[in-house]
Amino acid sequence: MLADVQKALDAFKQRDITRVFLVACGGSSSLMYSSKYVLDRESENIDSYLYSSNEFLHRNPKKLNEKSLVILCSHFGKTPETVEAALFARDKGALTVGLTFDGDSPLAKAVEHVIVYDDRESASYLNESSAIMLELVFGLLAAKEGNGKFMDLISSLEDLRSLIDIEKAKFLPLAQELAKSYKNEKVIYTMGSGANYGIAYWFAICILMEMQWIHSHAIHAGEYFHGPFEVLDKNVPFIVLLGLDETRPLEERSLEFTQNYGERVIVLDAKALNLTTIADSVKGYIAPFALQALLRQFADELAKERNHPLSTRRYMWKVPY
Amino acid sequence: MLADVQKALDAFKQRDITRVFLVACGGSSSLMYSSKYVLDRESENIDSYLYSSNEFLHRNPKKLNEKSLVILCSHFGKTPETVEAALFARDKGALTVGLTFDGDSPLAKAVEHVIVYDDRESASYLNESSAIMLELVFGLLAAKEGNGKFMDLISSLEDLRSLIDIEKAKFLPLAQELAKSYKNEKVIYTMGSGANYGIAYWFAICILMEMQWIHSHAIHAGEYFHGPFEVLDKNVPFIVLLGLDETRPLEERSLEFTQNYGERVIVLDAKALNLTTIADSVKGYIAPFALQALLRQFADELAKERNHPLSTRRYMWKVPY
């Protein structure tokens, strides 16, 4: 585990913390959904909120105060709303922790505790931003409520990279086949629930919309039957995620319906992956990381088939906004 | 105000309430987003959560207990997940309030306090489900924290129907024109933030996806620049909502960009509406109701132009799911 993470956890022990605010934008926000799920499922007393940075600033939650922990994330550490949110939270007396890839970035300077993550594929999964999010919340719950899953989490994350590498190698031929099959689609929906919803959202808005200019929407599997499912026909593509958390029955129900009436369904099922060294106590929370790695591999192949590199943008970092 | 609402408010006074859970599916859930916004903005101590019913059940929030208030809604009162959520919450000792159109429905029987709303266009806006949601949360905040906006809310809602009727009459020609212009679109996005996000979500999933089989997604205006905006080109249609709450700058920024690079933008701006009798203290929370009425009118005209009645379904209430 990174020394930066340990320092933040030490700081948690010194503070009375009654609420956690998870604040970021886009992809950085999406990786916080599973932490929110953990806090809802596991915490006896600590309330939690997840906001897009500019919504957080303007909503100005009245309960944000010196007993609040605000965790922020921005890859390059330059997202203006997120930097401003950090300063705003500090001004309210909250304890601030910022995750970023760049230790010299504005976000790194704005927060009390910066954690510089390392998401190179050669690095331990322990040092990935999404993993650090879980380390922070389970560390908090250990310190404040005696939650005992922290060590299970750490040992599970230590093994995760090698498990994921094996699964990616197995998945590659299917990813290539799916990329060929879906390369001309104009709309692709994603679907998930619980700890998985964040990666469904990430794939929809960061990969499909941002990096491939394909129309998309992350449909919550529990909401599907209350409106969205009416768009389904044989030709409408869906990516359905099946996780290992307690909401899996929602995903299974949505998948069954989609397979009954649709013919363009991609299923990524965490049960089909070898995650045997992941502790049962945290398996549901970690499964999204494995699914995300496969989704990313599919994205790479899709980009190749479409001759549309994932780095292509028409507006982002190019025009004022 | 309905006697049912008063009875629920009386019950709030008798109970220690530290958390509010807003639980429903689809359109019934969408009308709770502005109540969550109110609780975040206005409440000093009461924490709040919003879940789709089946997510609530399976997530099983650990902090749900006898000090929780759970507000549920289902129009016909038959949504199985929502009925089950009510029983689940009661079993945890929570105080349950259920909004429904049918006082004999399973939801009405499952909750401790049923509120039978009246959303006929002839009824006072006070008795609409979305208005009752605000009455409940402001009544709760009056009882527990001395929040003084409850009477402003009530007097503002009393006048709202007539204001909305005038605005609808003014909007009708434009609604008809827009319906003609957008009738062949395959994808239409909606966008909003703050108190407005719920109606952006409602229009996307209930009107466009469910009732018109048009692809859609409610994009949060604060998330737009962190992925979704890359799908924008001249021909991609957006409906951008401008409300009167504190997050309006997010909506304005998104609109400006969309109008710069897009040519298919529908703007519904609450500032252009005559809401003079609505109290300033609650205007931001009530503005979504007026915008929703205009959206509904646009939906009616769109359905006519497309020869696709809003009541048409292929799956809902027709096949098992």
Side-chain angles (χ1 to χ4, degrees):
Chain A
M1 199 171 69
L2 292 170
D4 287 347
V5 175
Q6 188 57 59
K7 276 188 209 162
L9 296 184
D10 290 342
F12 296 172
K13 289 179 192 155
Q14 310 303 318
R15 291 280 287 241
D16 188 10
I17 294 171
T18 60
R19 294 186 180 90
V20 177
F21 293 85
L22 306 171
V23 178
C25 298
S28 293
S29 174
S30 73
L31 60 86
M32 296 174 159
Y33 282 66
S34 56
S35 300
K36 167 80 171 134
Y37 187 78
V38 169
L39 288 164
D40 284 357
R41 291 255 338 146
E42 303 268 348
S43 174
E44 291 161 15
N45 292 301
I46 299 170
D47 288 284
S48 62
Y49 295 87
L50 186 154
Y51 299 110
S52 188
S53 305
N54 222 0
E55 176 83 25
F56 171 76
L57 278 164
H58 288 79
R59 187 176 288 225
N60 187 7
K62 198 165 192 171
K63 290 177 283 294
L64 174 67
N65 58 35
E66 69 287 348
K67 291 187 183 176
S68 301
L69 166 65
V70 180
I71 305 177
L72 309 106
C73 180
S74 166
H75 185 65
F76 296 111
K78 292 187 218 167
T79 311
E81 306 94 302
T82 306
V83 176
E84 198 183 335
L87 297 171
F88 173 79
R90 285 189 78 163
D91 194 52
K92 297 272 186 182
L95 179 65
T96 52
V97 175
L99 279 65
T100 174
F101 188 63
D102 180 355
D104 294 319
S105 63
L107 180 63
K109 288 168 185 154
V111 293
E112 279 160 278
H113 294 274
V114 61
I115 296 174
V116 180
Y117 57 76
D118 182 356
D119 60 1
R120 288 172 304 168
E121 298 207 352
S122 57
S124 164
Y125 212 95
L126 270 174
N127 304 338
E128 283 263 358
S129 51
S130 54
I132 289 169
M133 284 302 306
L134 291 192
E135 294 163 29
L136 291 173
V137 298
F138 273 109
L140 176 71
L141 294 177
K144 299 301 180 191
E145 301 183 350
N147 185 300
K149 298 182 183 174
F150 183 76
M151 288 315 298
D152 283 352
L153 175 76
I154 298 299
S155 63
S156 299
L157 289 171
E158 280 168 350
D159 290 337
L160 190 59
R161 180 77 69 195
S162 59
L163 296 183
I164 283 178
D165 287 345
I166 292 166
E167 292 301 330
K168 279 176 70 179
K170 284 198 290 192
F171 182 61
L172 182 60
L174 180 57
Q176 290 168 332
E177 187 189 312
L178 292 171
K180 283 191 180 68
S181 173
Y182 286 79
K183 67 179 178 185
N184 294 320
E185 297 294 351
K186 306 291 183 217
V187 180
I188 302 175
Y189 289 104
T190 64
M191 190 146 56
S193 59
N196 267 342
Y197 185 75
I199 57 167
Y201 180 66
W202 161 79
F203 199 78
I205 71 154
C206 295
I207 301 294
L208 294 173
M209 298 177 86
E210 175 183 331
M211 301 186 188
Q212 292 295 302
W213 308 349
I214 292 172
H215 296 300
S216 189
H217 179 177
I219 298 172
H220 186 278
E223 289 284 276
Y224 186 47
F225 299 106
H226 303 281
F229 77 150
E230 284 283 333
V231 297
L232 176 67
D233 71 19
K234 287 183 180 177
N235 304 315
V236 176
F238 275 78
I239 300 172
V240 182
L241 305 177
L242 296 179
L244 300 174
D245 68 63
E246 298 73 13
T247 72
R248 182 179 169 98
L250 281 65
E251 296 171 329
E252 288 175 333
R253 180 183 170 207
S254 297
L255 173 63
E256 185 184 355
F257 188 90
T258 307
Q259 286 180 322
N260 275 348
Y261 294 94
E263 294 180 354
R264 302 286 290 155
V265 192
I266 297 174
V267 185
L268 292 184
D269 184 353
K271 263 198 188 160
L273 310 180
N274 178 7
L275 300 174
T276 42
T277 61
I278 309 296
D280 285 341
S281 66
V282 294
K283 207 168 254 185
Y285 307 132
I286 288 180
F289 303 164
L291 294 176
Q292 185 169 32
L294 303 189
L295 283 169
R296 180 67 198 210
Q297 193 173 35
F298 172 52
D300 288 338
E301 299 304 321
L302 193 62
K304 280 185 219 162
E305 283 293 333
R306 301 179 78 241
N307 291 312
H308 185 120
L310 294 174
S311 57
T312 310
R313 300 289 185 283
R314 42 187 158 188
Y315 310 120
M316 194 179 273
W317 310 310
K318 289 188 159 180
V319 302
Y321 50 89
Chain B
M1 197 172 68
L2 293 171
D4 286 347
V5 175
Q6 189 57 59
K7 275 187 210 163
L9 297 183
D10 291 342
F12 296 171
K13 289 178 193 157
Q14 310 303 317
R15 292 279 287 243
D16 188 10
I17 294 171
T18 59
R19 294 186 180 92
V20 177
F21 293 84
L22 306 171
V23 178
C25 298
S28 293
S29 174
S30 74
L31 60 85
M32 296 174 159
Y33 282 66
S34 55
S35 300
K36 167 81 171 132
Y37 187 78
V38 169
L39 288 164
D40 284 355
R41 290 252 342 142
E42 303 267 349
S43 175
E44 291 160 17
N45 292 301
I46 299 171
D47 288 283
S48 61
Y49 294 87
L50 186 154
Y51 299 110
S52 188
S53 304
N54 223 1
E55 176 82 24
F56 172 75
L57 278 163
H58 288 79
R59 186 175 288 225
N60 186 9
K62 197 164 192 170
K63 291 177 282 294
L64 175 67
N65 59 34
E66 69 286 347
K67 291 187 182 174
S68 301
L69 166 63
V70 180
I71 305 177
L72 309 107
C73 180
S74 166
H75 184 65
F76 295 111
K78 292 186 220 169
T79 311
E81 306 94 300
T82 307
V83 176
E84 197 183 335
L87 298 171
F88 173 80
R90 284 189 77 164
D91 194 51
K92 297 272 186 183
L95 179 64
T96 53
V97 175
L99 280 65
T100 174
F101 189 63
D102 179 355
D104 294 319
S105 62
L107 180 63
K109 288 167 185 154
V111 293
E112 280 162 277
H113 294 274
V114 61
I115 297 174
V116 181
Y117 57 76
D118 182 357
D119 60 2
R120 289 172 303 170
E121 298 208 352
S122 58
S124 165
Y125 212 95
L126 270 174
N127 304 337
E128 284 262 0
S129 51
S130 53
I132 289 169
M133 284 302 307
L134 291 191
E135 294 163 27
L136 291 173
V137 297
F138 274 110
L140 176 70
L141 295 177
K144 300 301 178 191
E145 302 183 350
N147 185 300
K149 297 181 183 173
F150 182 75
M151 290 315 298
D152 283 353
L153 175 77
I154 297 300
S155 63
S156 298
L157 290 171
E158 280 168 351
D159 290 337
L160 188 60
R161 180 76 70 195
S162 58
L163 296 184
I164 283 179
D165 287 345
I166 292 167
E167 293 300 331
K168 280 176 69 179
K170 283 199 290 193
F171 182 61
L172 182 59
L174 180 57
Q176 291 168 333
E177 187 189 311
L178 292 171
K180 281 191 180 68
S181 172
Y182 286 80
K183 68 180 177 183
N184 294 321
E185 298 294 353
K186 305 293 183 214
V187 180
I188 302 175
Y189 289 103
T190 65
M191 191 147 55
S193 59
N196 267 342
Y197 186 75
I199 57 166
Y201 180 66
W202 161 79
F203 199 78
I205 73 153
C206 295
I207 300 295
L208 294 174
M209 298 177 86
E210 174 183 330
M211 301 187 189
Q212 292 295 300
W213 308 348
I214 292 172
H215 296 299
S216 190
H217 179 176
I219 297 172
H220 186 280
E223 289 284 278
Y224 186 47
F225 299 106
H226 304 281
F229 76 149
E230 285 282 335
V231 296
L232 176 67
D233 71 19
K234 286 183 179 176
N235 304 315
V236 176
F238 275 78
I239 300 173
V240 182
L241 306 177
L242 295 179
L244 301 173
D245 68 63
E246 296 73 13
T247 71
R248 181 180 170 96
L250 280 66
E251 297 172 329
E252 288 175 334
R253 179 183 171 208
S254 298
L255 174 63
E256 186 184 352
F257 188 89
T258 308
Q259 286 179 323
N260 276 348
Y261 294 94
E263 293 179 354
R264 303 286 289 155
V265 192
I266 296 174
V267 185
L268 291 183
D269 185 353
K271 261 197 189 162
L273 310 180
N274 177 7
L275 300 174
T276 44
T277 62
I278 308 297
D280 285 340
S281 66
V282 293
K283 206 168 257 185
Y285 307 132
I286 288 181
F289 302 164
L291 294 176
Q292 184 170 32
L294 303 189
L295 283 170
R296 179 71 199 206
Q297 193 173 34
F298 171 52
D300 288 338
E301 298 305 321
L302 192 63
K304 280 186 220 164
E305 282 294 334
R306 301 179 78 242
N307 291 312
H308 184 122
L310 295 175
S311 57
T312 309
R313 300 287 186 284
R314 41 186 160 188
Y315 311 120
M316 195 178 274
W317 309 309
K318 289 188 161 179
V319 303
Y321 52 88

